[in-house]
Amino acid sequence: MRSFIPPHRTLMGPGPSDIYPQVLQALSRPTIGHLDPLFIQMMDELKSLLKYAFQTENEFTIALSAPGSAGMEACFVNLIEHGEKVIVCRNGVFGERMRQNVERCGGIAIVVDDEWGSPVSAQKLQNAVEEHSDAVAVAFVHAETSTGALSDAEALSKIARSEDMLVIVDAVTSLGGVPLKVDEWQLDAVYSGSQKCLSCTPGLSPLTFSSKAIAKIESRQHPVQSWFLDQSLVLGYWSGEGKRAYHHTAPVNSLYALHESLLLLQEEGLEQAWKRHADTHQRLKEGLTSLGINFVVDEEYRLPQLNAVYVPTGVDEALVRQRLLNEYNLEIGAGLGDLAGKAWRIGLMGYGARKENVALCLQALKEVLN
Ligand SMILES: Cc1ncc(COP(=O)(O)O)c(C=O)c1O
């Protein structure tokens, strides 16, 4: 065996996305102790950079040392107790995973279903909230990566809050790519992933809890079943004046990388980053349309960072992806769940949301389809 040297791919799938060169450099800086005062200073900066990205003043804003799926699980295991009802909106793969999480916590999931490719329907949620006013929370996916649909988090949050329910939001694909305003929209528990529009190394999950979510955790009848994800234990590690209690060994270098990618986001500015994603999507859309390729999601609800498109009739979708990978070093995603075999998912996330990537993808697709 020899060292593993990966090829230089262009990642235009549903994630991970291409990592910023500066982030890759940050990753290779010398490892220091995770309780070193300088590392703790860096974590404090990381918290304020995350607050900016999430647009929140929530004191509990951290990066979990695990991928987005752990962020999802952390929300449910901490906020939901046995026998509690949660309204789960399901319009793709990740809404279904939320339902499974609720049930594994011993909760009762009330599912509000929408078509794959459609956003979560505010009217259906309104009906469910009225019918199940004893539910403690509403959970939904802001940007459904399996279909490319964006839901109106602000409107859905308002409906949940009309019955004083907690609002749990999956922002794995939305953070940094489209507007997400945790405080303004009064979202209570929001998790994301490092590997999508933040263009950082995979394996970290930014997470923020409102004071209402913290109060729910503090009033639990039973301790959180998962030791690792119990956020009341993690809190001592991420806060405290210059002093931290050991919880687990932080992924030191990955946190340098996240610090760097959030710094790049702050330097660019959120509004500019959202605009860059929208502009790049526009370019891709025009090119795909001229190739006769159609989008799965109606224009109004399309995610700029995740373009789900139908595979043209008579085309072997797997063969096209394989040729793009082998001949152009270009990765695009396959369809997932209901869209498996029928769609491709083309990501324009973070560092990948650039004109050069759009040009490469369009040229390569054109040549392969011809
Ligand atoms: C919307 C959404 N939620 C959750 C996840 C899970 O994140 P991870 O793969 O980092 O565990 C993903 C990953 O693609 C996602 O797109």
Side-chain angles (χ1 to χ4, degrees):
M1 276 192 224
R2 274 173 284 152
S3 304
F4 176 64
I5 312 288
H8 278 279
R9 307 272 202 222
T10 300
L11 300 180
M12 296 184 70
S17 60
D18 279 338
I19 298 184
Y20 287 105
Q22 300 94 313
V23 171
L24 283 176
Q25 274 172 15
L27 204 52
S28 65
R29 289 182 191 140
T31 304
I32 60 173
H34 72 129
L35 295 173
D36 185 311
L38 291 177
F39 188 71
I40 290 170
Q41 254 179 40
M42 193 280 300
M43 281 169 82
D44 285 337
E45 285 187 13
L46 188 50
K47 274 170 68 174
S48 49
L49 289 165
L50 280 172
K51 285 184 184 175
Y52 170 69
F54 274 128
Q55 294 285 279
T56 184
E57 291 303 322
N58 286 343
E59 191 42 45
F60 185 91
T61 303
I62 65 157
L64 272 187
S65 307
S69 305
M72 180 188 286
E73 194 149 342
C75 289
F76 293 104
V77 296
N78 283 275
L79 294 170
I80 307 306
E81 287 204 77
H82 225 268
E84 288 182 332
K85 259 190 199 175
V86 181
I87 301 176
V88 178
C89 304
R90 180 171 63 181
N91 61 338
V93 165
F94 296 99
E96 163 56 17
R97 286 197 186 173
M98 284 180 145
R99 182 197 68 75
Q100 293 177 18
N101 267 274
V102 169
E103 295 193 344
R104 284 178 185 235
C105 295
I108 302 160
I110 307 296
V111 180
V112 174
D113 266 318
D114 275 292
E115 291 275 308
W116 282 53
S118 298
V120 172
S121 149
Q123 187 55 55
K124 284 190 193 171
L125 178 63
Q126 179 73 50
N127 298 345
V129 162
E130 282 167 16
E131 196 182 330
H132 301 277
S133 57
D134 55 338
V136 297
V138 165
F140 60 86
V141 179
H142 187 206
E144 226 334 319
T145 327
S146 59
T147 67
L150 177 69
S151 290
D152 185 344
E154 184 177 16
L156 301 177
S157 166
K158 201 167 168 197
I159 295 167
R161 286 182 291 107
S162 68
E163 289 290 346
D164 202 28
M165 296 173 191
L166 285 167
V167 185
I168 301 176
V169 183
D170 179 316
V172 170
T173 287
S174 56
L175 185 69
V178 285
L180 169 67
K181 300 180 178 178
V182 169
D183 285 0
E184 194 181 316
W185 300 347
Q186 300 186 48
L187 314 176
D188 293 301
V190 187
Y191 60 91
S192 187
S194 46
Q195 78 279 23
K196 309 269 188 190
C197 297
L198 299 182
S199 275
C200 179
T201 175
L204 295 170
S205 180
L207 176 69
T208 185
F209 283 168
S210 70
S211 49
K212 189 171 160 188
I214 298 288
K216 175 79 167 69
I217 296 172
E218 286 172 350
S219 68
R220 285 182 66 94
Q221 306 289 313
H222 300 285
V224 173
Q225 179 276 330
S226 161
W227 182 88
F228 184 66
L229 293 177
D230 181 347
Q231 296 306 295
S232 63
L233 303 178
V234 172
L235 207 54
Y237 180 61
W238 274 89
S239 56
E241 272 304 305
K243 223 169 145 245
R244 299 294 153 87
Y246 165 68
H247 178 263
H248 64 278
T249 307
V252 171
N253 293 55
S254 297
L255 291 178
Y256 301 162
L258 185 61
H259 181 278
E260 193 68 28
S261 73
L262 289 165
L263 210 54
L264 291 167
L265 179 64
Q266 194 188 50
E267 277 166 14
E268 179 178 17
L270 272 175
E271 277 81 9
Q272 182 51 36
W274 298 333
K275 183 175 180 304
R276 177 169 52 81
H277 283 87
D279 290 349
T280 324
H281 158 77
Q282 191 60 28
R283 237 170 220 275
L284 180 72
K285 186 189 85 178
E286 284 160 17
L288 290 173
T289 308
S290 72
L291 293 176
I293 294 177
N294 300 316
F295 277 76
V296 171
V297 178
D298 287 347
E299 190 145 11
E300 205 184 332
Y301 311 112
R302 258 175 225 166
L303 282 172
Q305 65 271 50
L306 197 283
N307 299 267
V309 293
Y310 288 113
V311 176
T313 331
V315 169
D316 179 339
E317 79 81 21
L319 183 63
V320 171
R321 280 187 298 108
Q322 195 188 339
R323 287 195 53 196
L324 292 177
L325 194 67
N326 294 339
E327 295 168 30
Y328 299 84
N329 264 319
L330 170 64
E331 178 182 278
I332 66 166
L336 208 59
D338 288 4
L339 293 172
K342 299 179 203 152
W344 290 311
R345 290 177 302 150
I346 305 177
L348 292 169
M349 297 178 177
Y351 182 54
R354 281 178 297 139
K355 292 192 281 218
E356 299 88 305
N357 280 22
V358 173
L360 168 70
C361 180
L362 290 173
Q363 186 59 29
L365 262 179
K366 194 170 161 186
E367 287 172 13
V368 169
L369 287 174
N370 277 342

